[in-house]
Amino acid sequence: MLEHVDLSLIDWSRAQFALTAIYHWIFVPLTLGLAFIIAIMESIYVKTGNPEWKQITKFWMTLFGINFAIGVATGIILEFQFGTNWSNYSWFVGDIFGAPLAIEGIMAFFLESTFIAVMFFGWNKVSKRFHLAASWLTAIGANLSALWILVANAWMQFPVGMQFNPDTARNEMVDFWAVLFSPVAINKFFHTITSGYVTASVFVVGISAWFLIKKRHTLLAKRSILIASIFGLASSLFLAFTGDGSAYQVSQKQPMKLAAMEGLYEGKHGAGLVAFGILDPAKKTGDGKEAFFFKIEFPKLLSFLGYRNPDAFVPGVDDIIKGGFTPGYDHVHPMEKERTFSVEEKIRRGKLAVAALATYRDAKVAKVTAKSIQAMEELRLNFPWFGYAYLNSPESIIPNVPLTFYSFHLMVYMGTYFILLFTVVLYLVRKEKLEQQRWLLWLSVWTIPLVYLASEAGWVVAEVGRQPWVIQDLMPVMAAVSKIDATSVIITFWLFAAVFTVLLIAEMMIMIRQIKIGPKDGGTK
Amino acid sequence: MMFESMSIETLQAYWWIIISILGSTLVFLMFVQGGQTLIYTIGKTEPERKMLVNALGRKWEFTFTTLVTFGGAFFASFPLFYSTSFGGAYWVWMAILFPFIIQAVAYEFRSKPDNFLGHKTYEWFLIINGLFGTVLIGTAVATFFTGSAFSVDKSALTNLLDPAISRWQHPAHGLEALLNWRNVALGLAVFFLARVLGILYFMNTIDDEAILTRSKRHLVFNTIPFLVFILAFIGALLTMPGFAVMPQDGFIYGEPYKYFHNLIQMPLVMMMFAGGVVFVLLGVALPLLDFSKYASSGIWYAGPGTFLTVFALFCLAGFNNTAYYPSTFDLQSSLTIHNSSSSHYTLTVMSYVSLVVPFVFAYIWYAWKAINSKKIDAAEMEEGGHTY
């Protein structure tokens, strides 16, 4: 059937979403974290009255402003893209998905954009305390906006609090609180915002380390490192904790994503966690070959982390395709509690659901009540597999395993490294010994690109790992895409790529120059 | 217990009012875009341009945020519009969004050293945003009355080979709206109105004799074409057939003089419309008549006037059994506030959220007053504070 749905349209639409999301995510984490670091610094200034803290605050605020502007620029398209490129999706779940997006605008964006103006232009116009409040409100606004967009994203990964209405041919919200407080949403929110705090902390430590290397603005550098390494250490520890929570949610709700994250094809009891591995790129599901050229495992750890039981069965890609095992995860239809269905069976049931919807709608038009009631029951029974109807083969539910696997492992390695880095830096700066460790200062500088890489890798795991689902099990990409020609999307893809790349270059050049200029008013010594 | 007990029809009307408020606020706030197109016309020297850009730069985010919120609120309350219009009129929406992308960096990057593209490029970003943002948004809103070629079939979801519900039926994907002179007339009216508002905002915010003098002159130059284009559009609107809905079954049909009928059948809307026009004209007249006491407060008349006029236009499009997003390809695919809305539950949830809006307006007002407590002048630009 995919011959009929333009594959290049789907892939270019995915590529455009990926491109714009990746670009946007370069700037968002720094905004999330730096806003709080600045607010903390300004709080110290207000409390102590020491003008050097004001200069420190203003210096980081300059960098914040440059980053914020391009974050806004790259963000606008993401909101509208759900409509422009995924119009079927927008109707199918707009009743649920639209709400957090609107709430984000009403509750968060205005807060952020109103008080950021006070932050930048209000130094001589409003009182110290009002200015401080504006800085905190900007930080809260930015993080609130993250809350709502992450609630929306979590809902796509784990749809809850809704019911399908065959009359309107869409899912409708029935429980707002279930959407807001979904365990996936809560974990995702905390994991994502803390990743932003870590990014900002690495950014501040790295730039301050560069000042120390150059022996410029040393007081600013040391104070900034102190604040950022405390904030960064606390955040990175919490990041590890929420990372565990997120991975647990994935194993419970999206077992295929977990299998891809670990390159696990053949499931087993007491599955180990791959500490390091090189995948065989030729590996195919069901070919019986070893998935790895080489790997080192922590025994039983995957079972323990995923199911809180070292002997639990973790299904691999092959198991999920073939079905027939007893699922240990909690997100499973009652009919599958004993033995899971194969994907082939899920496709069959999905098609039954779609056919029942067609019958229902026809019967409603023809006013044949008995037939519509029967179709409704058939639809209700098979709706959990609705999205499978659009798949052309069981294998199409497998995401890109190597990309998910390597991204996941990169993220975990980096996360661990950041904890170590903050600990060492904090210890040395407290002992007044940091300046002598030039290797560590350089390491801190070069960690800046790594934190961005780790942060993007996290989103690659979350989004590539759930392909082909736009809404887990209910709608795959091929059923969600707008009816436009692929050429239009190809043109806009390259336009976005060109514009965003030019703006990124401009942003980096401006940022580097501002760092070299350092704090205004002579700066701290 | 307030919104739950309301009927779905009441909630739909309530949400159309919220959308209208956001849309009207957006058009008012497009004084930023209008002002951006005038930075070379009114600012003849670099320090003058700096004052103009900084005056606008303190407000651009309100316009931007209102646009984003308008989109989000439309999505949440009338998702079928979001799905049909954005996915169908792809090119017109992209053409609107691109200028906003480049605007968002233009202020912050413009005067920074090593900005890669040079400050003139960023100023041109502002001009492009001001021109295309206003004209195209005005053109897109005009299609609420003139219609577009699309079809909607929710049963298409069951066609596994081709499940798209909404389909645009014109290959230009929205840009064809520019071929209808009525749409373009509203687009140009919005453009010149935004410039009028921009000028009034400059007069209100900047303390500089040369800027004031030039602003006054350009106020006249822009008010005249604004009046020509808005009268042409309103004339066409009140005499053209519209898209009416049978309240019993939602059947959509063409009705001669529909929008004229809407105006006289909704006297409150007519009053808002007339009042809005009077306020806009008053806002323009005050600085020109040179009542020095009121010379700088034109924006506070023309702004609310704009709000009322646009609000009335939204009411004409959506209320009194009218299809607000008509399809010229298939009349029955036209969107009404009843057939395109979210469910009762979602509208109820969102209605509670809407109670936050007055607080949002309140803190925006407070912050606005705090920042604008003193007019911008050349001396402030040299003080070394944060400037664009």
mmCIF file of all heavy atoms in Angstrom, chain A residues 92-131:
data_model
loop_
_atom_site.group_PDB
_atom_site.id
_atom_site.type_symbol
_atom_site.label_atom_id
_atom_site.label_comp_id
_atom_site.label_asym_id
_atom_site.label_seq_id
_atom_site.Cartn_x
_atom_site.Cartn_y
_atom_site.Cartn_z
ATOM 1 N N PHE A 92 -6.594 14.265 13.972
ATOM 2 C CA PHE A 92 -6.784 12.996 14.678
ATOM 3 C C PHE A 92 -6.597 13.143 16.186
ATOM 4 O O PHE A 92 -7.274 12.492 16.968
ATOM 5 C CB PHE A 92 -5.794 11.972 14.104
ATOM 6 C CG PHE A 92 -6.028 10.546 14.510
ATOM 7 C CD1 PHE A 92 -7.198 9.882 14.175
ATOM 8 C CD2 PHE A 92 -5.055 9.836 15.204
ATOM 9 C CE1 PHE A 92 -7.403 8.559 14.530
ATOM 10 C CE2 PHE A 92 -5.250 8.501 15.563
ATOM 11 C CZ PHE A 92 -6.423 7.872 15.230
ATOM 12 N N VAL A 93 -5.677 14.006 16.593
ATOM 13 C CA VAL A 93 -5.430 14.181 18.031
ATOM 14 C C VAL A 93 -5.431 15.644 18.469
ATOM 15 O O VAL A 93 -5.061 15.952 19.598
ATOM 16 C CB VAL A 93 -4.091 13.532 18.467
ATOM 17 C CG1 VAL A 93 -4.139 12.040 18.258
ATOM 18 C CG2 VAL A 93 -2.925 14.141 17.726
ATOM 19 N N GLY A 94 -5.853 16.541 17.570
ATOM 20 C CA GLY A 94 -5.835 17.971 17.900
ATOM 21 C C GLY A 94 -6.634 18.289 19.154
ATOM 22 O O GLY A 94 -6.322 19.240 19.880
ATOM 23 N N ASP A 95 -7.652 17.508 19.409
ATOM 24 C CA ASP A 95 -8.491 17.763 20.574
ATOM 25 C C ASP A 95 -7.700 17.625 21.880
ATOM 26 O O ASP A 95 -8.053 18.231 22.890
ATOM 27 C CB ASP A 95 -9.669 16.786 20.574
ATOM 28 C CG ASP A 95 -10.771 17.243 21.528
ATOM 29 O OD1 ASP A 95 -11.325 18.327 21.297
ATOM 30 O OD2 ASP A 95 -11.034 16.523 22.507
ATOM 31 N N ILE A 96 -6.653 16.825 21.838
ATOM 32 C CA ILE A 96 -5.829 16.661 23.041
ATOM 33 C C ILE A 96 -4.546 17.474 22.899
ATOM 34 O O ILE A 96 -4.156 18.219 23.788
ATOM 35 C CB ILE A 96 -5.442 15.176 23.266
ATOM 36 C CG1 ILE A 96 -6.690 14.319 23.252
ATOM 37 C CG2 ILE A 96 -4.692 15.014 24.573
ATOM 38 C CD1 ILE A 96 -6.715 13.281 22.206
ATOM 39 N N PHE A 97 -3.916 17.333 21.756
ATOM 40 C CA PHE A 97 -2.579 17.890 21.563
ATOM 41 C C PHE A 97 -2.575 19.415 21.495
ATOM 42 O O PHE A 97 -1.608 20.061 21.894
ATOM 43 C CB PHE A 97 -1.979 17.311 20.275
ATOM 44 C CG PHE A 97 -0.526 17.566 20.106
ATOM 45 C CD1 PHE A 97 0.407 16.767 20.736
ATOM 46 C CD2 PHE A 97 -0.078 18.612 19.326
ATOM 47 C CE1 PHE A 97 1.762 17.002 20.592
ATOM 48 C CE2 PHE A 97 1.279 18.855 19.167
ATOM 49 C CZ PHE A 97 2.190 18.041 19.805
ATOM 50 N N GLY A 98 -3.660 19.981 20.972
ATOM 51 C CA GLY A 98 -3.703 21.438 20.827
ATOM 52 C C GLY A 98 -3.695 22.152 22.173
ATOM 53 O O GLY A 98 -3.116 23.236 22.305
ATOM 54 N N ALA A 99 -4.328 21.523 23.177
ATOM 55 C CA ALA A 99 -4.474 22.194 24.474
ATOM 56 C C ALA A 99 -3.137 22.583 25.108
ATOM 57 O O ALA A 99 -2.930 23.755 25.429
ATOM 58 C CB ALA A 99 -5.310 21.326 25.415
ATOM 59 N N PRO A 100 -2.192 21.631 25.271
ATOM 60 C CA PRO A 100 -0.923 22.062 25.875
ATOM 61 C C PRO A 100 -0.197 23.123 25.064
ATOM 62 O O PRO A 100 0.464 24.000 25.627
ATOM 63 C CB PRO A 100 -0.098 20.770 25.965
ATOM 64 C CG PRO A 100 -0.853 19.715 25.279
ATOM 65 C CD PRO A 100 -2.247 20.174 25.084
ATOM 66 N N LEU A 101 -0.340 23.063 23.748
ATOM 67 C CA LEU A 101 0.325 24.070 22.919
ATOM 68 C C LEU A 101 -0.258 25.458 23.182
ATOM 69 O O LEU A 101 0.476 26.451 23.262
ATOM 70 C CB LEU A 101 0.160 23.713 21.434
ATOM 71 C CG LEU A 101 1.439 23.299 20.731
ATOM 72 C CD1 LEU A 101 1.973 21.987 21.283
ATOM 73 C CD2 LEU A 101 1.212 23.156 19.231
ATOM 74 N N ALA A 102 -1.580 25.503 23.299
ATOM 75 C CA ALA A 102 -2.224 26.798 23.566
ATOM 76 C C ALA A 102 -1.882 27.272 24.970
ATOM 77 O O ALA A 102 -1.609 28.454 25.197
ATOM 78 C CB ALA A 102 -3.727 26.663 23.407
ATOM 79 N N ILE A 103 -1.884 26.339 25.918
ATOM 80 C CA ILE A 103 -1.577 26.716 27.312
ATOM 81 C C ILE A 103 -0.145 27.237 27.402
ATOM 82 O O ILE A 103 0.147 28.188 28.126
ATOM 83 C CB ILE A 103 -1.797 25.520 28.272
ATOM 84 C CG1 ILE A 103 -3.265 25.066 28.206
ATOM 85 C CG2 ILE A 103 -1.445 25.902 29.696
ATOM 86 C CD1 ILE A 103 -3.569 23.791 28.968
ATOM 87 N N GLU A 104 0.730 26.629 26.620
ATOM 88 C CA GLU A 104 2.118 27.081 26.580
ATOM 89 C C GLU A 104 2.174 28.556 26.173
ATOM 90 O O GLU A 104 2.882 29.357 26.781
ATOM 91 C CB GLU A 104 2.904 26.227 25.576
ATOM 92 C CG GLU A 104 4.383 26.559 25.543
ATOM 93 C CD GLU A 104 5.124 25.827 24.427
ATOM 94 O OE1 GLU A 104 4.474 25.348 23.487
ATOM 95 O OE2 GLU A 104 6.356 25.765 24.492
ATOM 96 N N GLY A 105 1.401 28.901 25.162
ATOM 97 C CA GLY A 105 1.377 30.287 24.699
ATOM 98 C C GLY A 105 0.819 31.222 25.757
ATOM 99 O O GLY A 105 1.439 32.231 26.118
ATOM 100 N N ILE A 106 -0.351 30.845 26.279
ATOM 101 C CA ILE A 106 -1.051 31.742 27.205
ATOM 102 C C ILE A 106 -0.307 31.879 28.529
ATOM 103 O O ILE A 106 -0.137 32.973 29.057
ATOM 104 C CB ILE A 106 -2.500 31.229 27.440
ATOM 105 C CG1 ILE A 106 -3.298 31.306 26.136
ATOM 106 C CG2 ILE A 106 -3.197 32.031 28.543
ATOM 107 C CD1 ILE A 106 -4.632 30.581 26.169
ATOM 108 N N MET A 107 0.155 30.736 29.064
ATOM 109 C CA MET A 107 0.716 30.775 30.421
ATOM 110 C C MET A 107 2.209 31.057 30.449
ATOM 111 O O MET A 107 2.706 31.640 31.401
ATOM 112 C CB MET A 107 0.470 29.435 31.115
ATOM 113 C CG MET A 107 -0.933 29.276 31.585
ATOM 114 S SD MET A 107 -1.004 27.823 32.622
ATOM 115 C CE MET A 107 -2.630 27.974 33.295
ATOM 116 N N ALA A 108 2.926 30.576 29.426
ATOM 117 C CA ALA A 108 4.385 30.624 29.533
ATOM 118 C C ALA A 108 5.040 31.657 28.631
ATOM 119 O O ALA A 108 5.871 32.443 29.084
ATOM 120 C CB ALA A 108 4.947 29.236 29.243
ATOM 121 N N PHE A 109 4.667 31.669 27.344
ATOM 122 C CA PHE A 109 5.373 32.557 26.411
ATOM 123 C C PHE A 109 5.232 34.023 26.799
ATOM 124 O O PHE A 109 6.175 34.796 26.703
ATOM 125 C CB PHE A 109 4.867 32.360 24.982
ATOM 126 C CG PHE A 109 5.362 31.108 24.328
ATOM 127 C CD1 PHE A 109 4.666 30.526 23.284
ATOM 128 C CD2 PHE A 109 6.545 30.518 24.747
ATOM 129 C CE1 PHE A 109 5.125 29.376 22.679
ATOM 130 C CE2 PHE A 109 7.010 29.360 24.148
ATOM 131 C CZ PHE A 109 6.290 28.794 23.106
ATOM 132 N N PHE A 110 4.021 34.393 27.226
ATOM 133 C CA PHE A 110 3.824 35.803 27.572
ATOM 134 C C PHE A 110 4.634 36.176 28.813
ATOM 135 O O PHE A 110 5.214 37.257 28.895
ATOM 136 C CB PHE A 110 2.337 36.111 27.777
ATOM 137 C CG PHE A 110 1.623 36.361 26.491
ATOM 138 C CD1 PHE A 110 0.689 35.479 25.999
ATOM 139 C CD2 PHE A 110 1.892 37.513 25.744
ATOM 140 C CE1 PHE A 110 0.038 35.710 24.791
ATOM 141 C CE2 PHE A 110 1.255 37.753 24.544
ATOM 142 C CZ PHE A 110 0.321 36.855 24.067
ATOM 143 N N LEU A 111 4.658 35.253 29.757
ATOM 144 C CA LEU A 111 5.423 35.488 30.983
ATOM 145 C C LEU A 111 6.893 35.727 30.621
ATOM 146 O O LEU A 111 7.522 36.696 31.063
ATOM 147 C CB LEU A 111 5.293 34.245 31.868
ATOM 148 C CG LEU A 111 5.670 34.364 33.330
ATOM 149 C CD1 LEU A 111 4.701 35.292 34.048
ATOM 150 C CD2 LEU A 111 5.635 32.998 34.012
ATOM 151 N N GLU A 112 7.381 34.819 29.787
ATOM 152 C CA GLU A 112 8.776 34.864 29.370
ATOM 153 C C GLU A 112 9.074 36.160 28.598
ATOM 154 O O GLU A 112 10.018 36.887 28.908
ATOM 155 C CB GLU A 112 8.992 33.650 28.462
ATOM 156 C CG GLU A 112 10.377 33.164 28.307
ATOM 157 C CD GLU A 112 10.381 31.911 27.409
ATOM 158 O OE1 GLU A 112 9.306 31.420 26.997
ATOM 159 O OE2 GLU A 112 11.475 31.430 27.107
ATOM 160 N N SER A 113 8.232 36.454 27.609
ATOM 161 C CA SER A 113 8.572 37.579 26.730
ATOM 162 C C SER A 113 8.316 38.928 27.392
ATOM 163 O O SER A 113 8.989 39.906 27.081
ATOM 164 C CB SER A 113 7.815 37.476 25.408
ATOM 165 O OG SER A 113 6.443 37.493 25.624
ATOM 166 N N THR A 114 7.388 38.973 28.325
ATOM 167 C CA THR A 114 7.139 40.238 29.021
ATOM 168 C C THR A 114 8.301 40.559 29.949
ATOM 169 O O THR A 114 8.831 41.666 29.952
ATOM 170 C CB THR A 114 5.846 40.152 29.861
ATOM 171 O OG1 THR A 114 4.785 39.802 28.996
ATOM 172 C CG2 THR A 114 5.533 41.468 30.550
ATOM 173 N N PHE A 115 8.703 39.566 30.713
ATOM 174 C CA PHE A 115 9.686 39.859 31.749
ATOM 175 C C PHE A 115 11.120 39.859 31.234
ATOM 176 O O PHE A 115 11.997 40.462 31.856
ATOM 177 C CB PHE A 115 9.483 38.943 32.954
ATOM 178 C CG PHE A 115 8.230 39.315 33.684
ATOM 179 C CD1 PHE A 115 7.058 38.574 33.562
ATOM 180 C CD2 PHE A 115 8.185 40.487 34.436
ATOM 181 C CE1 PHE A 115 5.896 38.961 34.194
ATOM 182 C CE2 PHE A 115 7.008 40.883 35.078
ATOM 183 C CZ PHE A 115 5.864 40.116 34.951
ATOM 184 N N ILE A 116 11.311 39.254 30.068
ATOM 185 C CA ILE A 116 12.654 39.340 29.495
ATOM 186 C C ILE A 116 12.924 40.787 29.079
ATOM 187 O O ILE A 116 14.055 41.270 29.165
ATOM 188 C CB ILE A 116 12.846 38.340 28.333
ATOM 189 C CG1 ILE A 116 14.334 38.070 28.138
ATOM 190 C CG2 ILE A 116 12.248 38.835 27.040
ATOM 191 C CD1 ILE A 116 14.624 36.916 27.216
ATOM 192 N N ALA A 117 11.870 41.487 28.653
ATOM 193 C CA ALA A 117 12.037 42.907 28.288
ATOM 194 C C ALA A 117 12.433 43.709 29.524
ATOM 195 O O ALA A 117 13.312 44.579 29.462
ATOM 196 C CB ALA A 117 10.757 43.451 27.681
ATOM 197 N N VAL A 118 11.815 43.383 30.661
ATOM 198 C CA VAL A 118 12.169 44.081 31.911
ATOM 199 C C VAL A 118 13.611 43.738 32.291
ATOM 200 O O VAL A 118 14.386 44.590 32.729
ATOM 201 C CB VAL A 118 11.195 43.697 33.053
ATOM 202 C CG1 VAL A 118 11.568 44.404 34.349
ATOM 203 C CG2 VAL A 118 9.761 44.017 32.665
ATOM 204 N N MET A 119 13.958 42.460 32.107
ATOM 205 C CA MET A 119 15.307 42.003 32.437
ATOM 206 C C MET A 119 16.360 42.818 31.683
ATOM 207 O O MET A 119 17.376 43.233 32.259
ATOM 208 C CB MET A 119 15.405 40.533 31.979
ATOM 209 C CG MET A 119 16.019 39.589 32.933
ATOM 210 S SD MET A 119 15.751 37.918 32.260
ATOM 211 C CE MET A 119 17.416 37.333 32.200
ATOM 212 N N PHE A 120 16.118 43.035 30.399
ATOM 213 C CA PHE A 120 17.143 43.699 29.586
ATOM 214 C C PHE A 120 17.067 45.218 29.643
ATOM 215 O O PHE A 120 18.084 45.885 29.589
ATOM 216 C CB PHE A 120 17.059 43.207 28.131
ATOM 217 C CG PHE A 120 17.727 41.886 27.951
ATOM 218 C CD1 PHE A 120 16.985 40.713 27.981
ATOM 219 C CD2 PHE A 120 19.100 41.798 27.806
ATOM 220 C CE1 PHE A 120 17.599 39.478 27.857
ATOM 221 C CE2 PHE A 120 19.725 40.570 27.677
ATOM 222 C CZ PHE A 120 18.979 39.406 27.700
ATOM 223 N N PHE A 121 15.859 45.747 29.705
ATOM 224 C CA PHE A 121 15.739 47.205 29.598
ATOM 225 C C PHE A 121 15.374 47.872 30.917
ATOM 226 O O PHE A 121 15.241 49.081 30.984
ATOM 227 C CB PHE A 121 14.691 47.566 28.538
ATOM 228 C CG PHE A 121 15.041 47.027 27.192
ATOM 229 C CD1 PHE A 121 14.336 45.971 26.640
ATOM 230 C CD2 PHE A 121 16.093 47.568 26.478
ATOM 231 C CE1 PHE A 121 14.686 45.460 25.408
ATOM 232 C CE2 PHE A 121 16.448 47.074 25.239
ATOM 233 C CZ PHE A 121 15.736 46.011 24.699
ATOM 234 N N GLY A 122 15.171 47.068 31.935
ATOM 235 C CA GLY A 122 14.633 47.645 33.161
ATOM 236 C C GLY A 122 15.654 48.024 34.222
ATOM 237 O O GLY A 122 15.276 48.501 35.293
ATOM 238 N N TRP A 123 16.962 47.817 33.939
ATOM 239 C CA TRP A 123 17.968 48.053 34.986
ATOM 240 C C TRP A 123 17.830 49.431 35.637
ATOM 241 O O TRP A 123 17.901 49.560 36.852
ATOM 242 C CB TRP A 123 19.384 47.906 34.427
ATOM 243 C CG TRP A 123 19.803 46.481 34.247
ATOM 244 C CD1 TRP A 123 19.967 45.833 33.057
ATOM 245 C CD2 TRP A 123 20.089 45.510 35.263
ATOM 246 N NE1 TRP A 123 20.346 44.528 33.278
ATOM 247 C CE2 TRP A 123 20.437 44.296 34.627
ATOM 248 C CE3 TRP A 123 20.100 45.537 36.664
ATOM 249 C CZ2 TRP A 123 20.775 43.136 35.320
ATOM 250 C CZ3 TRP A 123 20.443 44.375 37.363
ATOM 251 C CH2 TRP A 123 20.772 43.199 36.689
ATOM 252 N N ASN A 124 17.624 50.449 34.800
ATOM 253 C CA ASN A 124 17.523 51.800 35.380
ATOM 254 C C ASN A 124 16.095 52.298 35.464
ATOM 255 O O ASN A 124 15.857 53.465 35.717
ATOM 256 C CB ASN A 124 18.359 52.779 34.546
ATOM 257 C CG ASN A 124 19.805 52.347 34.495
ATOM 258 O OD1 ASN A 124 20.350 51.884 35.494
ATOM 259 N ND2 ASN A 124 20.420 52.475 33.332
ATOM 260 N N LYS A 125 15.136 51.423 35.167
ATOM 261 C CA LYS A 125 13.751 51.891 35.110
ATOM 262 C C LYS A 125 12.876 51.311 36.217
ATOM 263 O O LYS A 125 11.858 51.889 36.554
ATOM 264 C CB LYS A 125 13.146 51.526 33.749
ATOM 265 C CG LYS A 125 13.784 52.279 32.576
ATOM 266 C CD LYS A 125 12.947 52.089 31.334
ATOM 267 C CE LYS A 125 13.330 53.064 30.244
ATOM 268 N NZ LYS A 125 14.444 52.637 29.428
ATOM 269 N N VAL A 126 13.252 50.140 36.718
ATOM 270 C CA VAL A 126 12.435 49.528 37.770
ATOM 271 C C VAL A 126 13.315 49.291 38.995
ATOM 272 O O VAL A 126 14.551 49.367 38.920
ATOM 273 C CB VAL A 126 11.801 48.196 37.308
ATOM 274 C CG1 VAL A 126 10.907 48.406 36.103
ATOM 275 C CG2 VAL A 126 12.862 47.152 36.994
ATOM 276 N N SER A 127 12.678 48.974 40.112
ATOM 277 C CA SER A 127 13.453 48.772 41.338
ATOM 278 C C SER A 127 14.265 47.481 41.223
ATOM 279 O O SER A 127 13.973 46.612 40.405
ATOM 280 C CB SER A 127 12.512 48.671 42.533
ATOM 281 O OG SER A 127 11.808 47.445 42.469
ATOM 282 N N LYS A 128 15.285 47.388 42.087
ATOM 283 C CA LYS A 128 16.146 46.201 42.108
ATOM 284 C C LYS A 128 15.325 44.919 42.275
ATOM 285 O O LYS A 128 15.551 43.920 41.621
ATOM 286 C CB LYS A 128 17.086 46.308 43.307
ATOM 287 C CG LYS A 128 18.507 46.675 42.978
ATOM 288 C CD LYS A 128 19.295 46.511 44.275
ATOM 289 C CE LYS A 128 20.642 47.159 44.220
ATOM 290 N NZ LYS A 128 21.368 47.025 45.484
ATOM 291 N N ARG A 129 14.372 45.015 43.199
ATOM 292 C CA ARG A 129 13.610 43.805 43.527
ATOM 293 C C ARG A 129 12.674 43.408 42.389
ATOM 294 O O ARG A 129 12.491 42.227 42.094
ATOM 295 C CB ARG A 129 12.831 43.994 44.830
ATOM 296 C CG ARG A 129 13.755 44.039 46.004
ATOM 297 C CD ARG A 129 13.079 43.812 47.329
ATOM 298 N NE ARG A 129 14.099 43.732 48.360
ATOM 299 C CZ ARG A 129 14.745 42.611 48.682
ATOM 300 N NH1 ARG A 129 14.442 41.481 48.081
ATOM 301 N NH2 ARG A 129 15.682 42.617 49.606
ATOM 302 N N PHE A 130 12.093 44.423 41.752
ATOM 303 C CA PHE A 130 11.222 44.131 40.614
ATOM 304 C C PHE A 130 12.056 43.508 39.493
ATOM 305 O O PHE A 130 11.644 42.558 38.838
ATOM 306 C CB PHE A 130 10.516 45.407 40.135
ATOM 307 C CG PHE A 130 9.574 45.188 38.975
ATOM 308 C CD1 PHE A 130 8.897 43.988 38.807
ATOM 309 C CD2 PHE A 130 9.339 46.204 38.053
ATOM 310 C CE1 PHE A 130 8.024 43.785 37.737
ATOM 311 C CE2 PHE A 130 8.467 46.011 36.973
ATOM 312 C CZ PHE A 130 7.820 44.790 36.822
ATOM 313 N N HIS A 131 13.252 44.038 39.312
ATOM 314 C CA HIS A 131 14.113 43.480 38.271
ATOM 315 C C HIS A 131 14.468 42.030 38.574
ATOM 316 O O HIS A 131 14.436 41.163 37.693
ATOM 317 C CB HIS A 131 15.389 44.321 38.132
ATOM 318 C CG HIS A 131 16.160 43.982 36.900
ATOM 319 N ND1 HIS A 131 17.028 42.906 36.839
ATOM 320 C CD2 HIS A 131 16.145 44.536 35.661
ATOM 321 C CE1 HIS A 131 17.535 42.842 35.617
ATOM 322 N NE2 HIS A 131 17.016 43.808 34.891
#
